Amino acid sequence: MSVEVSIKEALEIQKPIIDVRSPGEFESGHIPGAVNIPLFSDKERAHVGTIYKQKSREEATQLGYKYVKPKLESFLSRSGNASPDGKVTVHCWRGGMRSKAFAEHLSDYGFERVRTITGGYKAYRNHVLDELGRPFTLNVLGGYTGSGKTYMLHELENLGEQIVDLEGLANHKGSAFGGIGQGAQPTVEQFENNLYHEISKLDRGKPIWVEDESHNIGSVKIPMPFYNQMRQARLYFMDIPKEERAKHLVTEYAKCDSKKLAGSIHRISRRLGGLREKNAIDYLENGNYYKTALITLAYYDKFYLKSMERRDNIDVNRTSLPTVDHKQNALTILNIARQQ
């Protein structure tokens, strides 16, 4: 026999979570760490849904059983692999027929403790959005492009500070060049789930460092309640000479595909201007990545400055730093933050 638990209880139990929704539903968004053992394929789910709407619940149930019956043994073996001790939590979209039927099947065949989540994945999504809307104490690390903000963020973590790497979660570096060398981005929904998952590990009573970002990071969006808090938080801005930042960008991008770099330059051509675009491409083709970086920084510096001026809060601590030395710069910024 299975028992129902709330989403908060399910997350606290930390037993394997089995998501029985279709692969497409799972891909759009899921609880981080959940195992997908779908009752139906995407095509089967669509067919059952059509019969439910056009004919009746009874006929849809019969069709669903027809699809599920050949998979019953695999459900047991796959669930056993996920949880050898026979303790699992199961959910579907709303905590309805799919999860209850799956849970009862596991219980009937010897699983020691099977739980279902009241409200299913929908309850989890509501929980995520509620939690991301709660107040945080944020410190925002800013600086012009090429300042090494992400590296500094992880140096702060090495120094014992709490961080959330938004670009790491987004799988994108947050510029026209940000997708080069990266894998596929998560969906917006999954990005929110992953963000909540990371924040849930942290102490809300202590500051959390994040990198200054636009609302969009590639194709994903920072949830507005969280983004608004970022815009209102104190900004620790690193002012590093353009020449030093260009050197850093060379170490970042010189190993990348030149065609992809050229494509990114074309994407910002309207802001760069025709002559700058041509010069940047010429330098790139000749292997002069430093000159290419200097030209693109002319655009990004102007763009970032305008963005900083539009902040909701003008609480900006601006610090001049001579080089892109991640460790030393992290120490400097942390000492300043601790004195305030």
Side-chain angles (χ1 to χ4, degrees):
M1 180 178 178
S2 62
V3 297
E4 285 196 28
V5 294
S6 70
I7 185 59
K8 289 184 179 180
E9 290 173 314
L11 295 174
E12 288 170 358
I13 291 167
Q14 294 183 334
K15 284 293 178 184
I17 293 177
I18 296 176
D19 184 335
V20 301
R21 296 175 303 147
S22 69
E25 291 175 285
F26 185 84
E27 183 67 24
S28 293
H30 56 268
I31 299 173
V35 178
N36 187 213
I37 307 178
L39 255 70
F40 305 126
S41 68
D42 294 329
K43 187 176 180 179
E44 290 167 348
R45 173 176 172 263
H47 190 196
V48 171
T50 299
I51 295 301
Y52 182 90
K53 291 178 181 179
Q54 295 181 355
K55 294 187 177 182
S56 68
R57 176 173 179 171
E58 289 73 21
E59 289 189 57
T61 301
Q62 290 175 5
L63 177 62
Y65 182 70
K66 177 183 175 182
Y67 283 137
V68 165
K69 188 176 179 180
K71 308 174 187 177
L72 292 175
E73 284 296 326
S74 71
F75 291 161
L76 294 173
S77 61
R78 294 176 67 185
S79 299
N81 290 335
S83 179
D85 66 0
K87 299 176 182 178
V88 297
T89 302
V90 179
H91 77 84
C92 56
W93 167 233
R94 290 185 180 178
M97 290 180 63
R98 286 185 288 177
S99 59
K100 287 182 172 63
F102 193 100
E104 290 302 324
H105 178 59
L106 297 186
S107 294
D108 290 345
Y109 283 85
F111 277 68
E112 180 182 341
R113 182 170 297 175
V114 184
R115 304 174 179 88
T116 59
I117 298 175
T118 304
Y121 178 71
K122 185 177 181 180
Y124 173 75
R125 284 293 297 158
N126 290 335
H127 177 70
V128 165
L129 296 177
D130 287 344
E131 289 295 305
L132 290 177
R134 289 177 56 189
F136 300 90
T137 301
L138 298 179
N139 286 337
V140 180
L141 185 63
Y144 292 125
T145 298
S147 298
K149 296 185 289 293
T150 301
Y151 294 97
M152 271 192 60
L153 198 66
H154 288 281
E155 289 298 338
L156 288 168
E157 184 178 32
N158 292 337
L159 292 168
E161 295 296 295
Q162 298 190 130
I163 72 159
V164 173
D165 183 356
L166 295 168
E167 292 184 359
L169 294 176
N171 212 15
H172 196 280
K173 295 180 181 178
S175 71
F177 298 83
I180 297 175
Q182 305 294 307
Q185 288 196 261
T187 64
V188 173
E189 185 174 302
Q190 190 58 43
F191 173 75
E192 292 172 345
N193 294 349
N194 294 342
L195 174 58
Y196 163 69
H197 182 67
E198 290 303 309
I199 286 178
S200 68
K201 303 174 187 177
L202 305 180
D203 184 347
R204 288 176 181 265
K206 297 179 181 179
I208 300 170
W209 288 86
V210 295
E211 188 176 338
D212 196 19
E213 302 286 354
S214 300
H215 182 212
N216 292 3
I217 308 177
S219 63
V220 306
K221 298 178 185 295
I222 301 172
M224 280 307 299
F226 191 84
Y227 181 69
N228 287 336
Q229 291 192 57
M230 289 174 58
R231 299 295 290 180
Q232 294 164 5
R234 175 172 289 168
L235 174 68
Y236 292 89
F237 180 83
M238 300 178 292
D239 194 348
I240 299 173
K242 183 185 297 184
E243 293 74 16
E244 294 298 314
R245 292 184 283 116
K247 292 177 187 176
H248 175 67
L249 289 176
V250 171
T251 65
E252 285 275 282
Y253 289 102
K255 58 183 178 292
C256 296
D257 187 326
S258 293
K259 290 183 178 179
K260 291 182 178 180
L261 292 172
S264 295
I265 292 170
H266 287 311
R267 280 197 289 276
I268 60 172
S269 59
R270 187 171 62 86
R271 299 291 182 89
L272 275 179
L275 180 59
R276 282 179 175 171
E277 180 195 8
K278 180 182 181 304
N279 289 340
I281 294 295
D282 287 344
Y283 283 129
L284 179 63
E285 290 176 348
N286 290 319
N288 193 332
Y289 296 99
Y290 177 74
K291 287 286 190 179
T292 304
L294 282 177
I295 291 173
T296 59
L297 285 177
Y299 156 69
Y300 280 111
D301 285 4
K302 187 183 297 183
F303 179 83
Y304 189 90
L305 186 59
K306 287 182 179 179
S307 174
M308 191 168 65
E309 290 171 348
R310 290 195 300 266
R311 289 183 64 84
D312 301 329
N313 188 341
I314 58 172
D315 189 0
V316 178
N317 186 296
R318 191 162 187 151
T319 304
S320 295
L321 298 166
T323 64
V324 183
D325 182 332
H326 313 304
K327 291 184 178 181
Q328 184 57 51
N329 292 351
L331 280 169
T332 300
I333 295 297
L334 183 57
N335 286 334
I336 291 171
R338 286 174 173 172
Q339 293 170 12
Q340 294 179 337

